[in-house]
Amino acid sequence: MNRIGFFLLIMLSGLVMAGCGSDSDGSGVSMKTLATYIQSGATEEGAQNRILVVDTRSSAEYIDGHIKDALSIPYQMISENGKALYTNNYDEVSPTASDQIADSWLRHMLVNQLVNDFVSTYQNSEIIFYGDYAEDAEEIAKEIGYTDVDHLSGGYEKWAERYPDYVQKYGPGAVSVDQENGSFVFTGFINNANYDNVSTRPTHHGITYKGGALNVYSFLVADIPPFIFHELLMYLGVSPEGNMADGIYYGTSEEYGSKFADGDRIDYSVTWNGAGQYYALEELFEERPSEFHPNPAGFEPLGIEARMGGTRDSNLLWNPGCIFCLYSCVCGISSNDKVNDDVWFADGGIYDTFGQPDDERNYYAGRFFPKSELMPGPGEPIEIKVTIIK
């Protein structure tokens, strides 16, 4: 064998040996590296400088199974014709609506699923995308201005085969899904950040996400991010159509204030250790006038009936964290179709969070008082069941 042939043989042998047992295609983060990150806790909620693992597949695929600790950000929701989507914070989501990282739809979707201040951009976060559009999502993130992004080398199916212990279903906070009966269960807890107020006074907010901007104003706090909550409902056949907002456009306060949520009906029920049963929301809230009601003698109970509002995008835009609002609301995923914002104002509410942000009428002028003596104390865990009413 001549010298050239000898060196070619050595090179080929090296390539074969390098490929044996490899989980990398030569680019991106290897599966072994990501598994090490997960094992170390670096991808978990609450980890300092958390490494964000992002699933770019459809919501349904994510619900059926995803990499442990992953967030769901379908590629089609953050891009259009290969360009990043931005919002103008009023009525438009498009590649030209803005050029600020804080206005990018990717940033809004990240914040919606993370337990952090809703104005944070996460610009310096390390992000690892995976799925069919992982490399495309990586390029979108770079275009927006994210500085530490990469993609996983290899697809989800290979990951699930190789690392079955690092696979989850449904999403954060969701513990079970019953497709046959159209229901799912997620975890939460009793508000422990503002308990003295929310346990004794009414509010506009029924169930909020622990990472949302308004999480301290509801008695019941959810572990499930609003986006995941919404997509689980779609997964079970709920229509996304509703009348409270058109994408992120909501019209004037006069327009949406007179509306009642008119989407598909869903029911909520709550249980906790020692409860012995699930309680419907109507059993957990007493309806009566608040201290701010201008005419307590003329007060009339109206009831609670939860319906979809078609407001996934407005919830992403503002990240209030609202899973269920006790009054028909433009930014709640679901809300009460028996009581609207006009009633809120008639009950003494003012919604003047800019001029008078500390005025308690902004938050405690409602009519639904939690029966806190029936439910567990601050910080205690609960489970909330969501059932689609056919």
Side-chain angles (χ1 to χ4, degrees), residues 135-162:
E135 293 183 61
D136 295 320
E138 179 186 344
E139 292 306 310
I140 289 289
K142 290 176 181 177
E143 175 188 332
I144 289 168
Y146 285 88
T147 58
D148 192 1
V149 295
D150 211 330
H151 66 277
L152 181 66
S153 178
Y156 173 74
E157 290 74 17
K158 181 184 282 189
W159 173 275
E161 179 182 341
R162 188 163 297 180

Side-chain angles (χ1 to χ4, degrees), residues 24-98:
S24 173
D25 62 6
S27 66
V29 176
S30 72
M31 291 188 181
K32 183 177 181 180
T33 297
L34 179 55
T36 301
Y37 289 156
I38 294 172
Q39 187 175 25
S40 72
T43 61
E44 291 180 356
E45 176 185 310
Q48 187 174 11
N49 299 319
R50 178 183 178 183
I51 296 172
L52 305 181
V53 182
V54 172
D55 190 325
T56 65
R57 302 172 303 153
S58 70
S59 297
E61 289 174 303
Y62 174 86
I63 290 167
D64 284 337
H66 57 268
I67 294 175
K68 185 179 184 295
D69 302 329
L71 309 174
S72 175
I73 301 184
Y75 175 70
Q76 289 82 357
M77 286 192 65
I78 61 171
S79 67
E80 182 178 293
N81 297 323
K83 296 292 184 181
L85 287 173
Y86 296 85
T87 170
N88 65 353
N89 293 304
Y90 178 62
D91 63 359
E92 183 183 358
V93 177
S94 77
T96 58
S98 174

Side-chain angles (χ1 to χ4, degrees), residues 46-262:
Q48 187 174 11
N49 299 319
R50 178 183 178 183
I51 296 172
L52 305 181
V53 182
V54 172
D55 190 325
T56 65
R57 302 172 303 153
S58 70
S59 297
E61 289 174 303
Y62 174 86
I63 290 167
D64 284 337
H66 57 268
I67 294 175
K68 185 179 184 295
D69 302 329
L71 309 174
S72 175
I73 301 184
Y75 175 70
Q76 289 82 357
M77 286 192 65
I78 61 171
S79 67
E80 182 178 293
N81 297 323
K83 296 292 184 181
L85 287 173
Y86 296 85
T87 170
N88 65 353
N89 293 304
Y90 178 62
D91 63 359
E92 183 183 358
V93 177
S94 77
T96 58
S98 174
D99 59 3
Q100 302 298 308
I101 189 171
D103 296 329
S104 68
W105 213 234
L106 171 58
R107 173 262 182 185
H108 280 287
M109 292 195 68
L110 284 175
V111 172
N112 183 270
Q113 297 175 61
L114 292 168
V115 184
N116 208 306
D117 189 324
F118 77 107
V119 300
S120 177
T121 65
Y122 301 95
Q123 183 172 1
N124 298 317
S125 294
E126 181 177 351
I127 305 175
I128 301 172
F129 294 98
Y130 75 90
D132 296 337
Y133 300 96
E135 293 183 61
D136 295 320
E138 179 186 344
E139 292 306 310
I140 289 289
K142 290 176 181 177
E143 175 188 332
I144 289 168
Y146 285 88
T147 58
D148 192 1
V149 295
D150 211 330
H151 66 277
L152 181 66
S153 178
Y156 173 74
E157 290 74 17
K158 181 184 282 189
W159 173 275
E161 179 182 341
R162 188 163 297 180
Y163 298 102
D165 291 341
Y166 293 151
V167 168
Q168 295 174 322
K169 297 184 70 172
Y170 313 138
V175 294
S176 65
V177 174
D178 185 342
Q179 287 185 272
E180 183 177 352
N181 293 307
S183 67
F184 63 93
V185 175
F186 62 89
T187 60
F189 56 92
I190 302 297
N191 185 318
N192 58 351
N194 194 20
Y195 184 78
D196 289 345
N197 279 323
V198 299
S199 64
T200 59
R201 307 170 81 176
T203 180
H204 196 286
H205 314 291
I207 305 171
T208 56
Y209 174 48
K210 63 185 179 183
L214 297 173
N215 72 87
V216 298
Y217 297 112
S218 65
F219 189 72
L220 305 176
V221 183
D223 292 322
I224 189 171
F227 176 71
I228 301 300
F229 170 81
H230 182 278
E231 300 308 288
L232 273 169
L233 286 171
M234 303 303 102
Y235 182 81
L236 293 175
V238 169
S239 170
E241 299 300 320
N243 66 326
M244 297 309 298
D246 178 13
I248 63 172
Y249 179 72
Y250 56 90
T252 66
S253 57
E254 289 77 16
E255 289 171 337
Y256 75 71
S258 62
K259 293 179 180 179
F260 295 86
D262 71 349

